[in-house]
Amino acid sequence: MIRYLTAGESHGESLIGIVEGMPAHVPLSPSDINEHLARRWLGYGRGGRSKIENDKVHIYSGIRFEKTLGSPIAMRIDNGAYKKDKAGWPEKMAIEGNGEGIEPVTLPRPGHADLAGMQKYNFDDMRPVIDRSSARETAMRVACCSVARTLLRHFGIEVGSHVTRIGKVGYDGPGDWYDRVESLIDGGSARAVYEKADASETRMLDEDMTTRCVEHIEEAKANRDSLGGTYEVIATGVPPGLGSYVHWDRRLDGRLVQAICSIQAQKAAEIGDGVRNASRPGSEVHDPILPGEGDTYPRRTNRAGGLEGGTTNGMPIVVRGYMKPIPTLIKPLDSVDTATNEAQPTRYERSDITSVPAASTVAEATVAWTLAEALLETYGGDTIDDVRAHMESDRASRSR
């Protein structure tokens, strides 16, 4: 079993992560992680913090001579805003002392964890909730998941993503982008998808759509508003048989949806054409099976998103995420000061107009981690050679 933990607050000194259970001898260097940390900042419409942070991972343990040791991997990412920002975070987020003289935050923002977290942990100051629930946590999450991503890559599994909608501007349905994605996959893998998307300011695969989205973001900014959107995550090279139908908690489709919805501000997810399939007749939903080789049977279509019965079927994994607009707005929303119980408009805190492009890269990371979990459950071992041997033996026993 592999697992990871993240720790740290948005404006604390640093973020900390620990990855446990990675097999030994997996090639891994800081650059493998830093590549995806940099991609997390992509996208038009990001706020001022993107100019402050320069995320680089520092690895403390679990790696020697650029290979995993099988022991826990400990990592740190420093928060540039801790010292560079003029808001006095070393005092406001101090480890020691009693907080005397620090003004409490008592005005919750609708749509954030502020009030719910304050009620849960019985705080009279919601700053601890704001700082831990912040999407800044995803920087370390991407770092941890990128460790698992290197494991997948050594077995020919790649994960990529692209944005399909920002606010009112986007594609009408998968048919509008299917050919572009298929062409990129045929020319390489899901990696080709994310490399193409990264070249766009909005991580979209169409230049005209990118231009329209940039204009839409500028319009939202002028209106002092924010925008949500949708994206698609694709994994190629995934073998059949990962996950299982025999228990609810082993169904891989459910685990992938949970991985997407665990990301801040993600409110829905679907596998393949899940939402549209609900309104179609069965004859237009289920993917016809074609003759194949060994235990691999291709499908004529992939509306199921590479999963049937909670188990991978050898087709590309397709997961789509739906992000709500960021709830920190320049335009005040109605709220209540918890210190006085008086109605009051919300304060403004620095924020993005949209971070859908960034969310799509975080979703890549969480999908990669979930697939790595499933891979090791099926073909696990103490070393990468053990995993490879188990996979090759299984494939040989299944071949016809």
Side-chain angles (χ1 to χ4, degrees), residues 63-380:
I63 308 289
R64 184 169 186 255
F65 305 139
E66 298 190 359
K67 287 189 177 181
T68 58
L69 302 177
S71 54
I73 299 168
M75 298 178 286
R76 186 193 82 228
I77 299 172
D78 290 333
N79 286 325
Y82 181 69
K83 292 183 178 179
K84 294 178 183 178
D85 202 309
K86 297 180 180 179
W89 298 118
E91 291 75 36
K92 290 182 179 179
M93 298 301 296
I95 301 298
E96 299 178 332
N98 59 13
E100 185 176 349
I102 302 298
E103 182 180 0
V105 179
T106 58
L107 188 62
R109 299 161 297 174
H112 272 282
D114 301 357
L115 183 56
M118 189 179 189
Q119 293 169 315
K120 177 176 176 61
Y121 290 105
N122 196 27
F123 291 131
D124 57 9
D125 177 0
M126 60 190 66
R127 174 56 65 188
V129 182
I130 294 171
D131 257 64
R132 180 55 189 171
S133 63
S134 165
R136 175 64 185 158
E137 178 268 344
T138 63
M140 182 50 73
R141 201 184 320 192
V142 167
C144 291
C145 294
S146 294
V147 173
R149 193 168 184 153
T150 61
L151 174 69
L152 294 180
R153 183 162 287 173
H154 285 282
F155 292 99
I157 301 172
E158 293 282 358
V159 183
S161 69
H162 64 106
V163 172
T164 60
R165 174 171 294 274
I166 294 179
K168 295 179 180 179
V169 179
Y171 304 103
D172 292 331
D176 292 344
W177 68 76
Y178 180 82
D179 288 343
R180 288 187 179 91
V181 171
E182 284 298 297
S183 177
L184 290 166
I185 290 175
D186 290 344
S189 64
R191 180 168 187 158
V193 176
Y194 86 64
E195 289 176 343
K196 175 68 174 178
D198 286 356
S200 161
E201 289 183 288
T202 58
R203 299 205 72 247
M204 302 186 90
L205 299 179
D206 180 88
E207 292 182 7
D208 177 64
M209 197 70 74
T210 293
T211 300
R212 290 172 56 197
C213 275
V214 168
E215 293 172 351
H216 188 34
I217 292 167
E218 284 298 312
E219 181 184 4
K221 183 177 181 180
N223 292 332
R224 303 161 70 198
D225 219 327
S226 61
L227 299 171
T230 61
Y231 53 83
E232 179 177 77
V233 181
I234 302 162
T236 55
V238 182
L242 303 188
S244 178
Y245 60 87
V246 301
H247 288 296
W248 68 269
D249 58 344
R250 294 182 64 191
R251 286 180 172 265
L252 193 52
D253 42 12
R255 292 161 64 179
L256 287 166
V257 169
Q258 193 277 334
I260 295 293
C261 290
S262 73
I263 303 167
Q264 292 85 336
Q266 314 309 298
K267 300 300 287 185
E270 64 175 328
I271 304 296
D273 291 351
V275 173
R276 290 171 181 81
N277 285 347
S279 60
R280 292 168 172 162
S283 58
E284 296 178 12
V285 170
H286 306 296
D287 304 310
I289 302 170
L290 304 176
E293 298 179 2
D295 69 333
T296 301
Y297 296 87
R299 287 3 184 223
R300 182 175 295 127
T301 54
N302 191 28
R303 301 185 189 100
L307 288 150
E308 294 172 304
T311 307
T312 58
N313 61 18
M315 294 293 285
I317 301 296
V318 178
V319 191
R320 301 189 186 114
Y322 297 74
M323 182 180 186
K324 69 178 182 180
I326 295 170
T328 300
L329 303 178
I330 301 174
K331 183 190 303 181
L333 297 173
D334 291 340
S335 186
V336 174
D337 190 325
T338 59
T340 64
N341 200 35
E342 294 179 356
Q344 186 175 329
T346 54
R347 67 193 183 283
Y348 171 70
E349 289 199 13
R350 179 182 60 214
S351 181
D352 304 332
I353 301 302
T354 185
S355 56
V356 176
S360 65
T361 66
V362 178
E364 276 183 33
T366 62
V367 166
W369 179 273
T370 306
L371 293 177
E373 280 184 323
L375 183 79
L376 290 177
E377 287 169 3
T378 303
Y379 302 113

